[in-house]
Structure formats: structure tokens, C-alpha cells
Amino acid sequence: MELLKQRILKDGMELGTQIVKVDSFLNHQLDIGLFMALGKELHRRFGHLGINKILTIESSGIGIAAITAIYFDLVPVVFAKKSHPTTMTEEYYGAPVKSFTKGTVSIARVAKKYLNENDKVLIIDDFLAHGEAAAGLASLVEQAGGTVCAIAAIIEKEFQGGSRKLRDAGYYVDSLAVITKIKNGQIYFKESSD
Ligand code: 5GP
């Protein structure tokens, strides 16, 4: 998606060769106008799949998932929690997820009442790196007997192998901007990611 690529080049910052910082529009301050364009584009790519729920993980996926739901007839948005709050008193589905940025493993949790066998789910996350978060979310859907229709990332770092791993496992994966490498302070995109 050209608009997103240009925004990453303008306002994104590479931290070494592995991490991209996009705090000014996606991860700290949120550009809602951009989110609306991203949501519309996600609907153009996935709107034909009969999706009736969007699943993401706290916290960076929540904003974009919420705006995207507007373009999917206001389907419910569920986000997995990474900790076990005392308010989560009901039974939950859980899947271990290794954090890309922290290296620690936490259990992604969704209360059982928010996922079920009739769900046709679009999984959304801000970044796709090793695919840990997306695989964990897919596991939660499948534990509930639901269907993972597609996995969507706003920004994919293809060179970290997550999309290949998820596609090998049979998932339909598509990302709005695909980074092929970060070298000498320069971010390179896959041409066909529009
Ligand atoms: P994965 O689980 O695919 O290895 O990593 C995806 C998760 O790690 C996302 O939820 C995202 O929050 C975080 N992440 C991975 N790579 C980056 C990055 O380059 N920048 C930022 N800000 N977050 C990232």
C-alpha cells in the first residue's frame, strides 16, 4: 500500500537492522485518518471472506482493529490479553506467545465466551516479525472451534520469516507494507505489497 510505505519512509525510524519504530502514527500517537485508509484497504483485501469477528492482541493492535471493524459492518473486535488480570474470572483460552521486542513468553488469553465455533476471524496485528503473536491468536480461534479466515499485518518484516511460517501452516497471510530488509539506515520494501 503506497500511502503506508511513504509514511513509513517519512516518519518511521529503523532501530538497527531488525526493528522499525513508528510511534508517531501507529504505536504511540495514532493517525486516525491513516487508520481509516488502512481499514478500508483491509476490507478491500479481505471483505469477501465472510468475516464476522476481528481478533488482535493488546495493545498496539487494538486501535487499528477497532477502526477496521467500521469497514466490516461493525463486527466485534476481541483483543487477547497478555497478562491475567484479577477481573478475568471466567474460563479462557490461552496460548504462549514469545514477545519479539522483549524476548519473554506470556500467555495470550481470551475469555471463552468471546470466541466460538461460528466465528470467521480476521486476525490483525500492527507488525508481523517471527509470527509468534499471529500463531498464538490463531491457536485461540482454533481452540474455540472457529475459523481463521486470514492473518493481516499492517507492517511485515518478511526477512524475519513469520509470514513464511504461517503460510506453511496453511494460513492466508497478507500485509499492507512488506519490508524486505533494513540496511545502512535504509528501509527496503517489496514492490508487490500494494
Ligand atoms: P512476532 O510475534 O510476529 O514475532 O512479532 C509481532 C509483535 O511484535 C507485534 O505485536 C509487535 O507489537 C511487535 N513487533 C515486532 N516487530 C516490531 C517492530 O519492528 N517494531 C515494533 N514497534 N513492534 C514490533
Side-chain angles (χ1 to χ4, degrees), residues 7 11 24-26 29-38:
R7 188 61 182 269
D11 293 333
S24 67
F25 61 94
L26 184 60
Q29 171 172 263
L30 312 181
D31 180 337
I32 300 303
L34 176 68
F35 278 26
M36 289 169 75
L38 301 178

Side-chain angles (χ1 to χ4, degrees), residues 88-165:
M88 198 168 194
T89 49
E90 59 277 87
E91 282 193 70
Y92 59 82
Y93 298 111
V97 170
K98 186 171 179 189
S99 162
F100 178 85
T101 42
K102 296 190 197 118
T104 51
V105 176
S106 60
I107 305 294
R109 299 169 166 88
V110 170
K112 287 192 174 177
K113 63 183 172 191
Y114 298 129
L115 284 174
N116 64 65
E117 69 276 10
N118 299 316
D119 286 340
K120 299 180 78 178
V121 179
L122 173 62
I123 291 173
I124 296 182
D125 204 3
D126 56 344
F127 276 91
L128 174 56
H130 295 143
E132 283 278 326
L137 293 173
S139 163
L140 298 176
V141 174
E142 286 158 3
Q143 287 175 50
T147 306
V148 177
C149 295
I151 294 171
I154 304 307
I155 304 173
E156 172 184 331
K157 289 174 292 172
E158 189 185 50
F159 58 95
Q160 286 166 346
S163 57
R164 187 167 16 92
K165 196 175 81 181

Side-chain angles (χ1 to χ4, degrees), residues 36-116:
M36 289 169 75
L38 301 178
K40 214 181 265 185
E41 176 64 12
L42 288 169
H43 184 262
R44 190 182 72 77
R45 296 191 190 196
F46 302 111
H48 61 289
L49 298 176
I51 284 153
N52 61 15
K53 194 166 279 182
I54 293 174
L55 177 65
T56 187
I57 187 160
E58 66 178 359
S59 57
S60 303
I62 298 174
I64 182 63
I67 298 287
T68 300
I70 296 170
Y71 299 93
F72 281 81
D73 285 334
L74 305 178
V75 296
V77 173
V78 177
F79 66 90
K81 302 196 181 202
K82 288 182 193 161
S83 62
H84 190 184
T86 46
T87 49
M88 198 168 194
T89 49
E90 59 277 87
E91 282 193 70
Y92 59 82
Y93 298 111
V97 170
K98 186 171 179 189
S99 162
F100 178 85
T101 42
K102 296 190 197 118
T104 51
V105 176
S106 60
I107 305 294
R109 299 169 166 88
V110 170
K112 287 192 174 177
K113 63 183 172 191
Y114 298 129
L115 284 174
N116 64 65

